[in-house]
């Protein structure tokens, strides 16, 4: 009798474990998005500096610590922008702006909204100025920027592992501007990034 009870208990434990393994979601989520970058272009140099808006690709990798709390690493490739002073094109630059955010995912039927906050690091590279501007002003910029990143979004399940994603981020990016080695002001890109894409949970 005891042997029969033990066998039943072991079978139940194995069955429960298998059912749990089938039901448990992977902690990893990967999304691919198309983003529209809309820059704030706030400039204190008096030159009316701005960079152009553009649509860029984005990949993010999310790890869930539990069903509600996750961390997301946002990645893209270096993006080239034209630099303008007023209506005049005075050069170009590239920037690489990875962000790391801590998210909270809400429980809701049929969709999964979330909010996030974290930090952005932007590296400016390939900075080029028009030869006449370079000769007259000898301009340069700080090539490193650290700032906050805020996020709100929603995942809409399409299948068990596939979801449609809508996401909006506000990222704080700025650089000090120099002329002949002397700081003349600060240029804030501070873009809003509105994106749509697909996510895979596996």
């Amino acid at each position: 009798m005891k042997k029969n009870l033990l066998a039943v208990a072991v079978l139940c434990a194995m069955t429960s474990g298998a059912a749990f393994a089938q039901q448990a979601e992977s902690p990893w989520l990967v999304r691919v998005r198309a983003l529209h970058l809309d820059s704030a272009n706030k400039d204190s140099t008096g030159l009316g500096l701005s960079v152009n808006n553009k649509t860029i690709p984005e990949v993010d990798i999310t790890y869930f610590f539990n069903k509600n709390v996750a961390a997301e690493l946002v990645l893209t490739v270096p993006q080239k922008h034209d630099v303008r002073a007023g209506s005049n094109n005075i050069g170009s630059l590239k920037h690489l702006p990875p962000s790391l955010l801590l998210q909270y995912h809400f429980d809701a039927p049929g969709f999964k909204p979330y909010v996030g906050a974290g930090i952005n690091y932007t590296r400016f590279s390939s900075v080029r100025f028009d030869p006449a501007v370079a000769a007259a002003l000898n301009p340069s910029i700080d090539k490193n920027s650290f700032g906050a990143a805020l996020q709100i979004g929603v995942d809409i399940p399409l299948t068990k592992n596939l979801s449609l994603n809508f996401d909006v981020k506000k990222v704080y990016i700025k650089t000090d501007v120099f002329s002949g080695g002397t700081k003349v002001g600060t240029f804030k890109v501070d873009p809003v990034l509105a994106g749509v894409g697909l996510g895979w949970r596996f």
Side-chain angles (χ1 to χ4, degrees):
M1 183 66 176
K2 290 183 178 179
K3 290 183 179 180
N4 290 338
L5 290 175
L6 181 59
V8 170
V10 171
L11 180 61
C12 288
M14 293 177 62
T15 303
S16 299
F20 177 80
Q22 291 176 355
Q23 294 174 4
E25 286 187 296
S26 165
W28 295 100
L29 171 64
V30 175
R31 298 189 190 90
V32 177
R33 299 189 185 105
L35 294 182
H36 181 70
L37 186 154
D38 187 2
S39 300
N41 290 326
K42 299 176 181 178
D43 176 35
S44 66
T45 68
L47 299 173
L49 297 177
S50 65
V51 296
N52 60 297
N53 299 329
K54 64 187 305 183
T55 299
I56 66 175
E58 180 189 276
V59 174
D60 72 71
I61 302 169
T62 302
Y63 181 82
F64 283 81
F65 300 103
N66 55 49
K67 69 175 184 176
N68 299 113
V69 179
E72 179 181 279
L73 177 63
V74 180
L75 302 170
T76 186
V77 296
Q79 300 297 322
K80 184 177 181 179
H81 288 268
D82 293 330
V83 180
R84 293 181 175 273
S87 60
N88 299 312
N89 190 330
I90 63 169
S92 65
L93 56 77
K94 292 183 179 180
H95 78 280
L96 181 64
S99 297
L100 181 63
L101 301 109
L102 185 65
Q103 300 174 326
Y104 187 85
H105 293 251
F106 297 91
D107 295 319
F111 63 99
K112 298 179 180 179
Y114 59 87
V115 294
I119 188 169
N120 167 265
Y121 167 70
T122 295
R123 172 70 178 176
F124 295 99
S125 63
S126 301
V127 181
R128 303 284 186 269
F129 291 102
D130 180 271
V133 173
L137 300 176
N138 188 20
S140 62
I141 64 171
D142 185 353
K143 294 187 176 181
N144 298 290
S145 170
F146 290 91
L150 304 174
Q151 177 187 47
I152 185 170
V154 62
D155 289 307
I156 302 172
L158 301 177
T159 67
K160 180 181 178 181
N161 297 320
L162 180 66
S163 59
L164 176 64
N165 175 258
F166 296 95
D167 183 272
V168 178
K169 288 185 284 290
K170 176 68 174 181
V171 181
Y172 293 88
I173 301 172
K174 67 179 181 179
T175 181
D176 291 331
V177 181
F178 301 86
S179 178
T182 301
K183 181 179 174 180
V184 295
T186 300
F187 174 55
K188 297 181 179 180
V189 184
D190 291 352
V192 173
L193 303 170
V196 59
L198 294 173
W200 291 266
R201 186 82 177 259
F202 55 89

